[in-house]
């Protein structure tokens, strides 16, 4: 029994996207004879950046994960293109299934990651810089230039990295206000104001 438990724990600590036993995975019902180069092509980034975001908006994320690009299923990789309006922020969040490697294409970003001891690591990035966010750790990005947009591309070590946005997870998920008030050492009125602001 103890040996079985130990094997399961080791398996969980090394969990990642499972290896596939074929060259690639087709959606259910698709005939392999009908597969051509289109299956391996994603065109969803073509129009990114053609619109100007206003400073009031947050980051616009265009994903290329297995949901948008089925050819990635089982391959353990995905990407996202991030468009930051002037002054825009990608709020604190985590990716529970993958590390993220962010490459800043243009502009500048202040980025930060918090480790499991609560230590914050920050850096200001400029076009051409890379920053890595380890799997599961809380992180954010901020365009603190209030005149120019910034563009970045992120690569993930999973076809479905997942995203848990802390503001949404805490204040719009249904956690009761009394639990949050006690957790943040404040009153329920303050928590209700935060919940209302995030729902608007």
């Amino acid at each position: 029994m103890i040996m079985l438990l130990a094997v399961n724990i080791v398996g969980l600590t090394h969990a990642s996207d499972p290896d596939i036993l074929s060259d690639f995975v087709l959606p259910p019902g698709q005939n392999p004879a009908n597969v051509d180069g289109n299956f391996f092509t994603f065109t969803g980034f073509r129009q990114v950046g053609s619109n100007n975001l206003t400073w009031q908006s947050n980051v616009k994320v265009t994903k290329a994960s297995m949901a948008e690009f089925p050819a990635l299923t089982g391959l353990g990789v995905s990407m996202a293109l991030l468009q930051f309006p002037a002054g825009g922020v990608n709020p604190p969040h985590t990716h529970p299934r993958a590390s993220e490697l962010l490459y800043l294409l243009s502009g500048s970003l202040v980025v930060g990651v918090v480790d499991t001891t609560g230590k914050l690591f920050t850096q200001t990035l400029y076009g051409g810089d890379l920053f890595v966010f380890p799997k599961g750790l809380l992180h954010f990005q901020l365009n603190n230039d209030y005149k120019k947009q910034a563009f970045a591309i992120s690569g993930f070590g999973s076809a479905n990295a997942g995203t848990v946005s802390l503001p949404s997870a805490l204040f719009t998920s249904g956690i009761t206000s009394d639990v949050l008030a006690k957790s943040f050492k404040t009153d329920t009125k303050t928590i209700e104001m935060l919940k209302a602001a995030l729902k608007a």
Side-chain angles (χ1 to χ4, degrees), residues 58-117:
N58 285 333
V59 64
K60 179 181 178 189
V61 179
T62 305
K63 294 180 181 179
S65 69
M66 66 185 215
E68 299 82 17
F69 189 15
L72 297 181
T73 302
L75 300 183
V77 295
S78 60
M79 296 186 85
L81 201 128
L82 299 92
Q83 181 181 0
F84 293 84
V89 66
N90 194 359
H93 62 282
T94 67
H95 303 292
R97 293 183 289 275
S99 295
E100 174 182 0
L101 185 60
L102 182 136
Y103 174 67
L104 187 58
L105 296 166
S106 65
S108 64
L109 290 177
V110 174
V111 299
V113 62
V114 179
D115 72 9
T116 57
T117 69

Side-chain angles (χ1 to χ4, degrees), residues 6-191:
V7 168
N8 284 333
I9 289 172
V10 170
L12 287 174
T13 60
H14 289 87
S16 63
D17 286 1
D19 287 334
I20 58 175
L21 301 175
S22 60
D23 294 334
F24 50 89
V25 177
L26 291 174
Q30 184 164 351
N31 184 341
N34 296 333
V35 173
D36 61 15
N38 289 317
F39 177 73
F40 300 99
T41 304
F42 179 74
T43 61
F45 290 164
R46 287 183 180 174
Q47 300 303 317
V48 173
S50 61
N51 59 333
N52 276 328
L53 300 176
T54 62
W55 69 269
Q56 294 98 337
S57 57
N58 285 333
V59 64
K60 179 181 178 189
V61 179
T62 305
K63 294 180 181 179
S65 69
M66 66 185 215
E68 299 82 17
F69 189 15
L72 297 181
T73 302
L75 300 183
V77 295
S78 60
M79 296 186 85
L81 201 128
L82 299 92
Q83 181 181 0
F84 293 84
V89 66
N90 194 359
H93 62 282
T94 67
H95 303 292
R97 293 183 289 275
S99 295
E100 174 182 0
L101 185 60
L102 182 136
Y103 174 67
L104 187 58
L105 296 166
S106 65
S108 64
L109 290 177
V110 174
V111 299
V113 62
V114 179
D115 72 9
T116 57
T117 69
K119 183 174 180 180
L120 172 66
F121 300 87
T122 62
Q123 185 70 6
T124 300
L125 305 180
Y126 300 95
D129 291 347
L130 287 167
F131 194 89
V132 65
F133 302 102
K135 178 180 177 178
L137 294 186
L138 179 67
H139 60 281
F140 67 89
Q141 300 104 21
L142 167 69
N143 180 2
N144 65 352
D145 186 328
Y146 285 83
K147 295 182 180 176
K148 296 179 184 173
Q149 294 188 77
F151 292 88
I153 194 157
S154 286
F156 299 93
S158 170
N160 183 14
T163 301
V164 179
S165 171
L166 260 61
S168 295
L170 289 171
F171 298 106
T172 67
S173 66
I175 298 174
T176 61
S177 295
D178 61 325
V179 169
L180 292 172
K182 288 177 183 177
S183 300
F184 285 99
K185 298 183 180 3
T186 189
D187 55 78
T188 56
K189 183 178 178 183
T190 301
I191 297 298

